[in-house]
Amino acid sequence: MKISNSMDQFLSVHDPEIRNKPFAAYELAVKLTKESLSYAVFDTFQNSISACGIFPRSVIEYLQGNSNDTSSEYWILRQSYGKVIMLIDDEVYTLIPEVLFQKEKAKHYLKFSHIFDENEMTCIDFIAASAAYNIYRVPAETAGFAKNVFAMYGFKHATTAFINSLIQEKPSGCCMHVHFSQNRFYALVVKNVEIKFCNSFLFKHENDILYYLLNIVEQLDLKIIDSLTLSGSINEDSSVARMLKKYFTPVVFAQIPANLSCFKEIEKISVHQYYDLFNCFQCA
C-alpha cells in the first residue's frame, strides 16, 4: 500500500551557487529503496542544505556502469564530496544500552530476529543523546553500490538520525514521531527528553497504522501526547494524515532542522519527505 505519490515524481533541486566552492566542502547523504534513490547535500561551511532530490532506481545501475560520467542529469551524485553517508533504511536493527553493549557480540544481537546472507554486513552507530548503540544490517545491494560508486563512504541508520534529532530538539512533554517508508513506518516516542519507545512496523492497510499507534499509546500508558510529527513518504493531504488527525492533536509535518539553513529552491519540494536525509548530517 502506498500513502504518497509525490515521492514518485522524480526531481532534483539545488542551490544555483553550489558550484562556487569545491565539492570537498560538501557532504552527500544517499538512501536506496526498492523504488528509488534519494539524496541530500550539506554545505559544511554554511551549515545548510544545498541540494536534494529523488531519482528512479535505474540510476543505481547507471552510476555503477558509468563511473566517469559527470555530465548527465545525475551529475550531482558524481562529485568528489568531503564525506558520503549511506543512510540505511532497513528494519533489521536493535538498540543496546551503552552499559550492556559488547562490540564482539554486535552481529549476535541481530541473529535473534534475522538470518544473515553471506554478503550482508553489520554496522554500529553510537547514539550519544540516549547513551545507546544502534546495531544494524547493511543490505548487500547497498554495500555493493557504495563500494562501486564512491571512493570513501560510511553508513548511518535512519533510527540514529531520528533519535538524535528529536532529543536535540528538547521537546517538552510527550512527543511521538512517525516516519513512513513505503509499506513500513518507524515510531519514536520521547517523553521529557527521554526515549520511551522506538520500533518499526510493516503495514498493508491504513487501519494497521492506527492500530499500531494506538497500541503504543496503551502500552506506554500515555495519558497525553503533546504532538504527533509525521515525515517520510506521506502526503499532507493523504487519507492516512486525515485519519490520524481524528485521533491525535496536533498533527504536524516535519520541517528542516532549526539549526540548518537552506536554499530558496527547496520550496519546490515537500521537505518532510527528506527528514531522515537532512538529519543524518546532524549525527554524522
Side-chain angles (χ1 to χ4, degrees):
M1 172 192 173
K2 292 183 180 180
I3 56 175
S4 170
N5 292 320
S6 53
M7 288 299 275
D8 297 333
Q9 298 171 0
F10 303 115
L11 58 85
S12 180
V13 293
H14 65 272
D15 186 340
E17 299 183 1
I18 194 170
R19 296 179 186 265
N20 290 351
K21 61 171 69 79
F23 275 88
Y26 298 97
E27 296 178 0
L28 172 70
V30 176
K31 180 178 69 173
L32 306 184
T33 71
K34 294 178 180 179
E35 297 180 344
S36 63
L37 177 152
S38 53
Y39 78 92
V41 176
F42 175 65
D43 184 336
T44 59
F45 286 1
Q46 301 295 327
N47 197 45
S48 64
I49 301 298
S50 295
C52 60
I54 182 167
F55 295 120
R57 269 192 67 87
S58 56
V59 69
I60 298 174
E61 182 177 351
Y62 178 85
L63 290 174
Q64 294 185 99
N66 299 271
S67 59
N68 297 319
D69 182 10
T70 59
S71 61
S72 72
E73 61 183 307
Y74 310 128
W75 64 269
I76 201 162
L77 299 175
R78 300 302 314 160
Q79 306 305 315
S80 298
Y81 289 94
K83 178 184 290 186
V84 176
I85 304 167
M86 294 298 302
L87 187 69
I88 306 302
D89 181 3
D90 186 79
E91 69 274 12
V92 182
Y93 71 96
T94 189
L95 300 176
I96 303 294
E98 182 179 10
V99 295
L100 300 178
F101 177 72
Q102 298 180 50
K103 187 175 182 179
E104 65 275 11
K105 293 184 178 181
K107 197 167 187 176
H108 178 75
Y109 293 129
L110 297 177
K111 287 185 176 180
F112 289 106
S113 58
H114 178 69
I115 299 175
F116 279 87
D117 291 336
E118 182 179 352
N119 296 322
E120 290 180 338
M121 56 185 292
T122 303
C123 277
I124 304 168
D125 297 339
F126 178 60
I127 309 177
S130 60
Y133 285 90
N134 191 358
I135 302 97
Y136 55 96
R137 169 188 69 166
V138 175
E141 180 191 39
T142 301
F145 171 82
K147 181 178 180 180
N148 292 334
V149 175
F150 303 114
M152 297 180 64
Y153 56 89
F155 299 104
K156 192 72 60 178
H157 197 272
T159 51
T160 301
F162 300 149
I163 293 172
N164 270 316
S165 63
L166 194 51
I167 291 181
Q168 287 174 7
E169 291 173 7
K170 297 181 179 179
S172 59
C174 182
C175 302
M176 179 183 289
H177 191 121
V178 178
H179 182 86
F180 292 92
S181 179
Q182 299 177 70
N183 65 333
R184 183 176 72 252
F185 70 88
Y186 298 93
L188 177 65
V189 177
V190 175
K191 187 175 183 180
N192 298 324
V193 201
E194 181 182 350
I195 300 294
K196 294 296 184 180
F197 185 90
C198 181
N199 207 345
S200 59
F201 302 88
L202 295 172
F203 64 89
K204 292 183 178 180
H205 307 287
E206 294 182 2
N207 289 339
D208 295 341
I209 301 169
L210 182 61
Y211 169 81
Y212 287 128
L213 295 183
L214 292 180
N215 189 56
I216 293 170
V217 171
E218 181 179 358
Q219 177 184 335
L220 299 180
D221 192 25
L222 302 176
K223 305 300 182 185
I224 297 177
I225 294 181
D226 296 288
S227 67
L228 171 62
T229 302
L230 306 179
S231 62
S233 56
I234 179 172
N235 285 338
E236 295 188 38
D237 61 350
S238 67
S239 57
V240 171
R242 293 194 297 271
M243 174 186 68
L244 294 177
K245 289 177 180 179
K246 295 179 181 179
Y247 292 86
F248 299 91
T249 302
V251 174
V252 298
F253 283 80
Q255 299 297 313
I256 292 175
N259 62 333
L260 297 183
S261 58
C262 61
F263 59 103
K264 184 177 180 180
E265 286 76 6
I266 207 168
E267 297 172 354
K268 298 177 182 179
I269 69 168
S270 298
V271 295
H272 70 272
Q273 296 186 337
Y274 296 85
Y275 177 83
D276 50 355
L277 286 165
F278 292 162
N279 279 285
C280 76
F281 298 119
Q282 306 283 78
C283 58

